[in-house]
Amino acid sequence: GIAGAAMVVMLAGAIQLAAGLLRGGRWFRAVPPSVVHGMRAGIGVLIFASQFHVMVDDKPKSSGIANLLSIPAAVWKGLLPGDNPSHYWAARIGLLTILVTASWKWLAPKRLQFLPAPLVAVCMSALVASLSRLDISYIEIGNILDKVHLPTLERLQSLNRHLFLEALGVAFVASAETLLCATALDKLHGDHAQRTRYDKELVAQGVGNLVSGAVGGLPVTGVIVRSATNVEAGAKTRLSAILHGVWMLLLVVLAPGILNLIPTASLAAILVFTGYKLMNPRAVRQLPRFGRMEVAIYAATVIAIVLQDLLTGVVLGIVLSALRLLHQFSHLETRLTAGEPHGHTRLELRGAATFIRLPQLAAVLEQVEPSAELHVDLEQLDFIDHACLDLLMSWETAHGATGGRLVVDWGALSACFGNGAAMPTWSPAEMASTAH
């Protein structure tokens, strides 16, 4: 029940606090850009699809894919009055909100451009709806103090192993969602903005959940939609996030009547517009420059988020990125060409020559004719380990017994590995001596 849920939130906050103090937040930075872009786009699709229905005074469906598939029906409800005219008028309020939001910075006088476009759009829509006395849905704000439940001895005594496991799950999901969204926000903010301090963010959220759980509240988590809206409003520092909470608290406590004048369709329209911007088609067009696999990881992340949930999509994206990395560090291309102009045989190696590819390299060397002079081209090689070097040395000894010769530009290889890669066991002099 409510008491158990509050204890879960409190415990989750304590776990997050401990994780932040132990500097565990930095691990969430190890997320590939394709996954971050996919996460933003996936969340954008979900927000756009679900809030599109709210914008026409309808209820969202049970899943992301259901929301997407039923958008045409929502459009039809907004086009014609039909049996329920509230859909028709709510859609027009939503459309007005989007038009004002999108055009404010171009149409507004310079003296008023400091006002955030979403704020102006919501105020204008609320004024139109109020003056027209439209029969549509509005925000309903009650007395917030009635919902505050301070800790009791009974609640503290309800702690058990099951609640701790639930809190562990809440802490992980909330931390992952917040810090991954912070990573996306850093990219959204630009090059000159304040960067997220991951451990500090984790500590702060842990304290927030401790307090929220203590008063019977829901878990606190950072989400990209509010952050993106804040950035769109011109926010530059972390103070904007604090003031965001302050304004909400003051309005809910001191002026709930004003908030009750805001049409639900207007707020949903702000989220529809924000969801569209989160999809960011420009970032998608840039991904192919980094390879087809980056596009595939992006697409898989988006699809998994839409079909399942955020955490599943991000985990899938990270797993695919790890598999791609494993393939890169274990992939070796070989090209053996006999009958070169000077009568020798040429072996080109491209990629990473590691012990995993020993059978492949050995099979290629076995194809070299006895007594042939083999020139090994290592210019396109990203990495070669001790095992493959040892194979080349051993093969040279056996090949030399048949009258053959191995020619390798060890100096070029040494120069390559000397620029930050792992240096082979042999020194350049020893390798040159062995080659000759």
Side-chain angles (χ1 to χ4, degrees), residues 17-36:
L17 177 60
L21 293 175
L22 294 173
R23 305 177 69 85
R26 66 183 69 183
W27 292 103
F28 288 92
R29 301 191 69 173
V31 181
S34 55
V35 178
V36 174

Side-chain angles (χ1 to χ4, degrees), residues 75-366:
V75 172
W76 181 254
K77 289 180 180 179
L79 286 176
L80 300 174
D83 297 332
N84 190 349
S86 67
H87 299 311
Y88 177 81
W89 291 113
R92 272 138 189 80
I93 288 294
L95 185 60
L96 172 64
T97 304
I98 291 176
L99 290 175
V100 174
T101 303
S103 60
W104 175 251
K105 66 178 180 180
W106 289 290
L107 300 180
K110 290 185 177 180
R111 291 178 299 175
L112 298 179
Q113 285 188 355
F114 71 95
L115 292 172
L119 177 62
V120 175
V122 170
C123 290
M124 188 175 296
S125 299
L127 182 63
V128 170
S130 179
L131 293 177
S132 303
R133 300 181 181 274
L134 296 180
D135 186 17
I136 56 178
S137 298
Y138 296 85
I139 293 177
E140 297 181 6
I141 303 293
N143 188 350
I144 190 174
L145 297 179
D146 293 340
K147 303 299 181 182
V148 174
H149 302 284
L150 297 176
T152 62
L153 181 61
E154 181 182 357
R155 282 174 59 187
L156 295 175
Q157 291 175 342
S158 67
L159 285 174
N160 55 52
R161 177 175 171 272
H162 175 72
L163 288 182
F164 180 80
L165 292 176
E166 293 286 348
L168 195 62
V170 170
F172 179 77
V173 172
S175 302
E177 181 171 353
T178 297
L179 298 182
L180 291 173
C181 288
T183 301
L185 182 63
D186 283 346
K187 295 183 180 295
L188 194 66
H189 230 317
D191 297 330
H192 305 293
Q194 293 183 5
R195 295 302 173 194
T196 301
R197 300 175 185 174
Y198 288 77
D199 295 322
K200 190 174 183 179
E201 180 74 24
L202 206 52
V203 168
Q205 190 174 115
V207 174
N209 275 324
L210 275 171
V211 175
S212 180
V215 298
L218 296 174
V220 175
T221 178
V223 293
I224 193 68
V225 60
R226 289 199 300 266
S227 301
T229 304
N230 223 6
V231 172
E232 284 294 316
K236 299 295 182 183
T237 69
R238 297 182 183 90
L239 182 60
S240 61
I242 298 173
L243 290 176
H244 167 218
V246 171
W247 303 139
M248 287 181 63
L249 179 62
L250 290 177
L251 285 169
V252 168
V253 173
L254 301 178
I258 295 178
L259 296 181
N260 290 337
L261 297 175
I262 299 176
T264 305
S266 180
L267 293 186
I270 295 293
L271 295 180
V272 167
F273 186 72
T274 302
Y276 167 75
K277 293 184 74 69
L278 284 174
M279 296 180 205
N280 195 6
R282 185 181 302 173
V284 181
R285 290 195 295 267
Q286 294 175 351
L287 283 176
R289 295 189 304 169
F290 303 98
R292 294 180 180 177
M293 192 60 187
E294 291 295 315
V295 179
I297 293 172
Y298 169 88
T301 303
V302 173
I303 293 171
I305 290 175
V306 173
L307 294 181
Q308 192 65 31
D309 54 55
L310 173 65
L311 195 59
T312 301
V314 171
V315 169
L316 176 61
I318 292 175
V319 169
L320 291 176
S321 299
L323 292 175
R324 176 179 178 271
L325 190 63
L326 180 62
H327 177 265
Q328 272 189 319
F329 281 114
S330 62
H331 182 67
L332 177 65
E333 294 181 16
T334 60
R335 182 182 178 185
L336 187 65
T337 307
E340 288 285 312
H342 298 288
H344 61 256
T345 301
R346 184 180 185 83
L347 174 60
E348 296 179 51
L349 299 179
R350 182 190 298 268
T354 65
F355 69 95
I356 299 176
R357 297 301 175 186
L358 275 178
Q360 178 184 350
L361 182 57
V364 173
L365 292 175
E366 288 175 2

